[in-house]
Amino acid sequence: MRAINGGKQPSLAQLRAFAAVAEHLHFRDAAAAIGMSQPALSGAVSALEEALGVQLLERTTRKVLLSPAGERLAVRAKAVLDEVEALMEEADAVKAPFTGALRLGVIPTVAPYLLPTVLALVHEKYPDLDLQVHEEQTSSLLEGLAAGRLDLLLLAVPLGVPGVTELPLFDEDFVLVTPLDHWLGGREGIPREALRELNLLLLDEGHCLRDQALDICREVGRGNPGAGRSPSAEGGGGRRVGAPVTTTAAGLSTLVQLVAGGLGVTLLPRTAVRVETSRSSQLLTGYFADPAPTRRVALAMRAGAARAAEYEELAGALREALRPLPVRVL
C-alpha cells in the first residue's frame, strides 16, 4: 500500500520512535523508553520525516522541539499505536479459548428451562466468556447464524439445513398435560393413539414445538389436531366428539393456562413440566407408553466455524451439566 503523498508507507517502528521523542523531547530518554539505541531512534525519526515529506522536529544542540506539523502528527501517531496495541490484545483474546463474545441463539421452548444450567456452567467454567443470549424462533435463529449475527444456536433438531453442523445434547420425552377432570389426567402408559381423540392445543405458527406436535399427530394417523372433543362437549372428563378447537398460544405458559381453564390438553417437553405446571393447581400430567414421543435438543453452528473446537468442548460440558434434568443425555 502506498502513501497518499506518493512516498513510502511509514513503519510502526518509525511511529514508535517519533511518539517517544514527542513524549520525552529528548533523544536519549526516548531511546531508553522504547529500548532502541539513540542512533537507531534518530534514524527512524528521520526516515519518518522523509516518508511523510514534512519536518516533525526542530533539533538544536540543547533540546528537541516539535514543529507545528510534528505537534499535529504526534497525536495521530499515538492514536495509530494505541489502535495497533488494541488489535494485538484482541488477537491474543481470540487465540485464548472461551474468551470474548459468544452470541447464543435459543428457541423460546428451550430458553426458560435450560438457560439456568447454561448460565451457571458458563459462569463457573468459562468466566472470561462474554455470553450474549438471543431468544428467537428457529427460522430467525438460522437466518442469524447464516448472516454471522449469531455464533451458536440451542434448539430442537434435526434441522436439515446445509452448512449447519449439529452437536446433539439430549433427547427428552413429551408428556400430556390435562385439566384435573380429564380421563387421561395422571395416567401412565398412555398409548400414542389416544392423541387421535384429544383437543390438542398448540403454539402459534413458527414454533418448532408446534411442528413437532403435528408430526406426532401424523404418526398416529391423526389429521387436524384441533379436531376431536370441544371443551363444551368434554366437560367433566367426557369423551364425546365435538367441533374443532382453533385456540393457540404464543408461549408455553399461556398454553398451560388454557389447559387449566379446560380448553383442551397439550404436550410439554419434560424439561418444561416442573416450571409450567407449578403455575396452577388445576393440572395433571400423563405419561406415554414406551416409546414415548420425544424431541432432540442440540447446539448448532456453522459448518467449518473458526471456533468449532470450543463449541464442541462446550457441548460436552453442557451434556454433563444437564444430567440432573429429566432428559437422556447423548
Side-chain angles (χ1 to χ4, degrees):
M1 182 177 180
R2 297 186 60 80
I4 295 175
N5 62 6
K8 296 180 179 180
Q9 190 79 7
S11 70
L12 291 177
Q14 293 167 357
L15 292 176
R16 287 194 189 94
F18 169 56
V21 173
E23 179 181 355
H24 295 280
L25 295 178
H26 195 288
F27 276 94
R28 185 180 64 236
D29 293 345
I34 61 174
M36 290 181 73
S37 67
Q38 189 170 333
L41 179 82
S42 179
V45 174
S46 296
L48 178 63
E49 290 178 316
E50 182 180 350
L52 297 177
V54 295
Q55 182 180 343
L56 301 173
L57 304 177
E58 295 179 5
R59 302 166 176 84
T60 69
T61 55
R62 295 183 178 181
K63 59 184 177 178
V64 176
L65 298 176
L66 290 175
S67 70
E71 290 181 354
R72 292 179 57 182
L73 295 181
V75 177
R76 293 284 188 179
K78 185 177 184 307
V80 169
L81 293 171
D82 288 344
E83 285 299 317
V84 170
E85 182 178 358
L87 174 68
M88 299 304 294
E89 290 175 353
E90 186 69 18
D92 288 339
V94 169
K95 288 186 289 185
F98 298 105
T99 58
L102 194 164
R103 299 162 297 180
L104 176 68
V106 191
I107 56 174
T109 59
V110 162
Y113 321 113
L114 297 192
L115 278 181
T117 301
V118 174
L119 296 177
L121 171 68
V122 170
H123 178 74
E124 178 181 348
K125 193 167 184 178
Y126 310 114
D128 296 325
L129 189 64
D130 178 17
L131 184 65
Q132 302 169 7
V133 177
H134 303 262
E135 185 185 52
E136 302 169 22
Q137 293 185 6
T138 300
S139 59
S140 177
L141 292 181
L142 289 172
E143 290 173 1
L145 187 69
R149 177 174 61 84
L150 298 173
D151 303 311
L152 193 62
L153 308 182
L154 179 58
L155 72 180
V157 296
L159 299 168
V161 177
V164 175
T165 299
E166 299 171 8
L167 305 173
L169 298 176
F170 63 84
D171 291 336
E172 64 176 327
D173 294 341
F174 286 102
V175 302
L176 187 68
V177 181
T178 73
L180 287 178
D181 60 354
H182 196 277
W183 64 285
L184 289 176
R187 286 182 53 179
E188 296 187 6
I190 300 171
R192 290 191 186 200
E193 289 72 22
L195 291 169
R196 296 173 184 169
E197 303 180 16
L198 303 178
N199 286 327
L200 190 61
L201 303 180
L202 302 176
L203 291 172
D204 291 338
E205 295 281 353
H207 287 276
C208 63
L209 190 57
R210 174 190 176 93
D211 298 331
Q212 291 160 351
L214 291 173
D215 288 341
I216 294 168
C217 290
R218 281 190 284 269
E219 287 175 8
V220 299
R222 175 173 177 162
N224 177 11
R229 291 162 294 137
S230 71
S232 59
E234 195 180 347
R239 303 179 63 176
R240 296 185 301 279
V241 175
V245 175
T246 58
T247 301
T248 61
L252 291 183
S253 298
T254 302
L255 202 61
V256 169
Q257 293 306 310
L258 295 175
V259 173
L263 294 187
V265 302
T266 196
L267 295 173
L268 282 187
R270 283 289 300 270
T271 50
V273 170
R274 183 182 62 82
V275 172
E276 298 302 342
T277 59
S278 65
R279 304 178 192 274
S280 173
S281 61
Q282 303 302 306
L283 298 167
L284 289 174
T285 53
Y287 297 87
F288 291 95
D290 290 333
T294 65
R295 76 168 177 177
R296 176 164 292 183
V297 173
L299 292 175
M301 63 181 179
R302 287 183 296 277
R307 302 173 72 180
E310 288 180 56
Y311 300 156
E312 290 171 1
E313 181 180 335
L314 178 61
L318 191 52
R319 290 185 194 105
E320 293 305 309
L322 291 168
R323 288 191 184 279
L325 299 183
V327 300
R328 292 185 296 280
V329 172
L330 300 171

